[in-house]
Amino acid sequence: MTQPQMDMTNYLEFQLSLLRLSAIPGPNGTVMTDRMADEARKIEDIVGARVPLKRNVA
């Protein structure tokens, strides 16, 4: 995996972690919207396709 690919994978993993954090109900009871959940699933799919490649690089 090239450096730009690793950078993009790291960026996507970071964005996914932010989306997961947004799923935690807030102090006023706000929760993740359906749109955000859909975006999180899309990013999870992209990261899931990339992360195995990253882990195979030694």
Side-chain angles (χ1 to χ4, degrees):
M1 181 179 275
T2 66
Q3 186 62 44
Q5 289 171 323
M6 288 188 297
D7 292 343
M8 180 57 74
T9 300
N10 289 335
Y11 172 77
L12 290 171
E13 288 175 331
F14 177 71
Q15 293 299 314
L16 181 58
S17 68
L18 291 178
L19 281 170
R20 286 181 176 152
L21 285 174
S22 70
I24 299 170
N28 59 355
T30 58
V31 294
M32 180 183 281
T33 64
D34 291 338
R35 181 177 179 198
M36 288 175 65
D38 185 49
E39 291 296 319
R41 281 189 292 276
K42 288 177 186 177
I43 293 176
E44 283 178 345
D45 291 343
I46 293 169
V47 172
R50 287 299 200 192
V51 171
L53 294 174
K54 183 179 164 186
R55 289 188 183 140
N56 289 335
V57 175

